[in-house]
Amino acid sequence: MDHKTYLFFDCECANCFDGIGKICSLGYVLADDELNIIEQEDLVMNPECDFDWYLFSPKNKCQLAYSKDYFRANPNFASYYKKIKKLFTNGNTYVGGFAVANDVGFVNSACDRYYMDYILYRAFDVENLAEKVFGCKKKLFEWAEFLECDTSILTSHKSVDDAVVTLMVFKKICEKLEKKPEEVLKENKDFFVTTEQVAQAAEERQYKKEMTAKIKGYYNKHSPNPLRKTWQGQKFELNKKVFSDLDRALNIAKRIYEGGGVIVERLKGSGNIVFLDDSLEPEKKASIEKKGLKIVLAEDIEKIRV
């Protein structure tokens, strides 16, 4: 019989500036096919970056488990890379976590930072499973309390302890369902995420962030030498649905700017609101026009020759 092992992991980061998490600890717990713990460890590492000041602030209720000096006294992620890769890519092991896409993303970011190949694996999200089974949302330790797990000697935001609690929660759910762990995973394949999926999602978020910044770059700006004077002195507000197509939104913003118009975040008084199409409900349309605002369709701006 093929006996599986189960690896649950959790990461803590020194900061997530610019949307990139810099790992300072990766804790894991390895269990057998009955979910009995075989080994556990907290891989504490030097993030080689500044710590977010809030992590050690008295106002922060979830302090990191170690001091800055202790983190910095340990090896960096690159020193643990081979060990982590071996743990995560064992063909006989299921990998899991709580809100695990975040942790997969942190590992991906660490690989990027140290110019290492991505560790290719898929991980199961226990958070999604719990929400499906019980129909509500909770944080990790809230689930543990709800399921009557004994966490008296465990600390939230200590990576290895969070990994252990994730295991506990998963085990309780399997018991409630009266099913073996592997059976639960196979029945919930949609709750797995892969390295590649998380990397692609991160790229899409970065693209959206960069494009939105370019569009916002036209806000509150007058062109000193507009190519046209189609909208000279007029103000515009972009309806949020315009941002559903960022390339198109950028083109619209550029055309307004080059036509002498000014885009603002929110119109006060008269001006034009740009909508993606003419699907606006009559009541909404009447309400807008009653305020003295003019509705302009995206295509009306796009058809103006540059």
Side-chain angles (χ1 to χ4, degrees), residues 95-289:
V95 179
F98 189 86
V100 77
N102 294 329
D103 297 295
V104 174
F106 297 149
V107 174
N108 283 354
S109 294
C111 291
D112 285 335
R113 288 183 71 206
Y114 290 95
Y115 304 99
M116 294 179 160
D117 293 335
Y118 282 162
I119 300 171
L120 302 179
Y121 61 102
R122 62 179 194 147
F124 185 82
D125 195 341
V126 175
E127 179 183 40
N128 284 344
L129 176 65
E131 289 178 4
K132 174 187 174 182
V133 173
F134 297 101
C136 59
K137 291 180 176 288
K138 296 180 186 291
K139 295 179 181 179
L140 177 57
F141 271 70
E142 289 173 346
W143 278 120
E145 182 179 1
F146 176 78
L147 293 167
E148 299 181 342
C149 301
D150 181 6
T151 62
S152 57
I153 62 171
L154 301 174
T155 304
S156 177
H157 289 279
K158 182 176 182 180
S159 292
V160 67
D161 286 2
D162 281 358
V164 170
V165 176
T166 303
L167 166 64
M168 288 179 171
V169 169
F170 179 64
K171 189 172 184 177
K172 287 284 190 178
I173 293 174
C174 292
E175 291 171 356
K176 174 181 173 54
L177 297 175
E178 297 183 346
K179 294 180 179 179
K180 290 187 175 297
E182 190 169 18
E183 187 180 0
V184 173
L185 297 190
K186 288 183 176 180
E187 290 178 355
N188 295 279
K189 292 180 180 179
D190 290 347
F191 296 157
F192 279 97
V193 294
T194 67
T195 303
E196 296 94 331
Q197 287 171 333
V198 173
Q200 182 179 352
E203 288 178 6
E204 291 172 356
R205 285 195 301 272
Q206 183 62 27
Y207 172 76
K208 183 176 181 179
K209 179 180 178 181
E210 291 173 358
M211 287 295 289
T212 301
K214 287 181 180 179
I215 296 166
K216 297 288 186 178
Y218 284 105
Y219 278 48
N220 302 308
K221 288 185 179 179
H222 298 258
S223 172
N225 298 297
L227 298 178
R228 304 172 305 279
K229 295 188 178 180
T230 312
W231 301 295
Q232 188 72 33
Q234 296 185 47
K235 290 186 178 181
F236 290 79
E237 176 186 326
L238 303 185
N239 178 261
K240 63 181 180 180
K241 288 186 178 180
V242 173
F243 288 83
S244 62
D245 185 337
L246 291 171
D247 290 290
R248 191 178 183 187
L250 179 60
N251 180 48
I252 290 169
K254 184 178 179 182
R255 283 172 177 268
I256 291 172
Y257 176 78
E258 292 175 347
V262 177
I263 305 172
V264 296
E265 195 74 45
R266 187 70 60 189
L267 283 171
K268 295 179 180 179
S270 61
N272 309 281
I273 301 183
V274 182
F275 284 88
L276 207 54
D277 52 47
D278 196 19
S279 61
L280 205 61
E281 296 177 356
E283 296 82 2
K284 180 69 174 177
K285 187 174 181 180
S287 175
I288 291 172
E289 292 175 341

